[in-house]
Amino acid sequence: MNKPLILVVEDDNSVKNLITTTLKAHDYRYLTALNGGGAILEASSHNPDIVLLDLGLPDIDGVEVIKKIRTWSNMPIIVISARSEDTDKIDALDAGADDYLTKPFSVEELLARLRVTQRRLNMIQNEAAAEASVFTNGQLRIDYAAGCAYLGDDELHLTPIEYKLLCLLSRNIGKVLTHTFITQNIWGSSWDNDIASLRVFMATLRKKLEKDADSPQYIQTHIGVGYRMMKVE
Ligand code: CA
């Protein structure tokens, strides 16, 4: 198998060097771009496996770069943002980014995000090959055609909304889904009320799904951002 090719888009040299040094040491290939224009050019001409995209770029906004790339490709995009750019991070996820890293981040965090994204890629490719109508993740199994979910041998007794939520998360496994994305998919709107309801339904879903609701295995909370289903080994 080829080493994964990562496109690193970062105008800050010290951050760029940290990333590329890490990639080199861990068997990744990489390309770099210093601005949004360069990012779009490199992404279209080299079709990288994953894009690491800084949101604060000198020419065009990182969110615009995501929208451009999404017009022709679903390649995974992990955005890198400063803590002060929290709303940008949510805009980036809503524009189609897969995950985010907040500066300053450690080498371990960077590698962990890359691994999550690669697992998600592999899973999507396997599923596409199998035309899967049954989803499995750890003990969880969802039979999309029958509309049933199981944990081990036991059927999960879910309300229609809990089931819809579980399917939405599973179909986007590994990807952080924002509150707005989820409520728009479940209720077709995103009022504050819906986000409050979402918390309630997520709590009841977790009670049924997670062995220990205080340290969830399947559904990760991203405070102020949204939720993600994790791949369980
Ligand atoms: Ca920057």
Side-chain angles (χ1 to χ4, degrees):
M1 217 174 102
N2 275 337
K3 295 177 184 178
L5 178 63
I6 315 291
L7 171 58
V8 181
V9 187
E10 176 59 78
D11 60 319
D12 179 328
N13 262 320
S14 60
V15 180
K16 191 188 74 190
N17 291 341
L18 168 77
I19 296 174
T20 55
T21 308
T22 306
L23 294 177
K24 215 186 301 181
H26 290 84
D27 245 15
Y28 291 97
R29 293 176 299 146
Y30 64 86
L31 292 158
T32 58
L34 295 169
N35 55 42
I40 293 165
L41 189 69
E42 297 293 338
S44 62
S45 48
H46 296 279
N47 197 31
D49 295 299
I50 298 173
V51 182
L52 283 171
L53 174 69
D54 177 33
L55 285 180
L57 295 169
D59 56 344
I60 34 178
D61 192 70
V63 174
E64 294 307 314
V65 175
I66 298 169
K67 289 181 183 161
K68 274 267 161 50
I69 292 177
R70 282 292 172 260
T71 61
W72 87 86
S73 170
N74 283 322
M75 62 180 69
I77 301 173
I78 303 173
V79 297
I80 302 171
S81 72
R83 208 164 286 281
S84 58
E85 298 165 331
D86 253 5
T87 53
D88 296 4
K89 184 161 76 188
I90 292 171
D91 288 346
L93 290 166
D94 279 331
D98 294 76
D99 202 350
Y100 61 86
L101 271 166
T102 306
K103 284 179 191 171
F105 53 85
S106 67
V107 164
E108 287 71 27
E109 270 179 285
L110 169 64
L111 290 170
R113 295 307 158 94
L114 289 171
R115 277 195 303 269
V116 167
T117 303
Q118 278 176 282
R119 276 205 293 267
R120 168 174 151 70
L121 261 184
N122 291 339
M123 213 156 161
I124 291 168
Q125 280 156 0
N126 292 342
E127 270 184 27
E131 281 280 297
S133 66
V134 175
F135 167 90
T136 52
N137 182 21
Q139 292 280 300
L140 172 66
R141 187 161 54 87
I142 307 172
D143 185 335
Y144 292 129
C148 299
Y150 303 86
L151 198 60
D153 292 329
D154 302 323
E155 184 170 353
L156 290 171
H157 297 288
L158 304 176
T159 65
I161 290 197
E162 289 165 357
Y163 180 73
K164 263 175 101 171
L165 257 177
L166 184 65
C167 289
L168 186 65
L169 289 160
S170 66
R171 288 190 191 277
N172 292 282
I173 186 166
K175 185 166 172 166
V176 179
L177 305 182
T178 64
H179 294 135
T180 307
F181 178 87
I182 298 174
T183 54
Q184 270 170 354
N185 269 274
I186 304 284
W187 290 287
S189 57
S190 57
W191 305 105
D192 287 348
N193 274 348
D194 297 328
I195 294 176
S197 308
L198 174 60
R199 288 210 179 88
V200 174
F201 284 109
M202 198 58 89
T204 58
L205 171 61
R206 274 180 160 157
K207 227 174 251 167
K208 298 174 185 180
L209 179 67
E210 305 281 4
K211 277 205 185 74
D212 177 2
D214 291 329
S215 57
Q217 229 189 331
Y218 291 97
I219 303 172
Q220 210 180 46
T221 301
H222 291 249
I223 294 164
V225 177
Y227 299 94
R228 154 162 60 192
M229 181 175 284
M230 295 299 288
K231 176 92 186 78
V232 176
E233 301 304 330

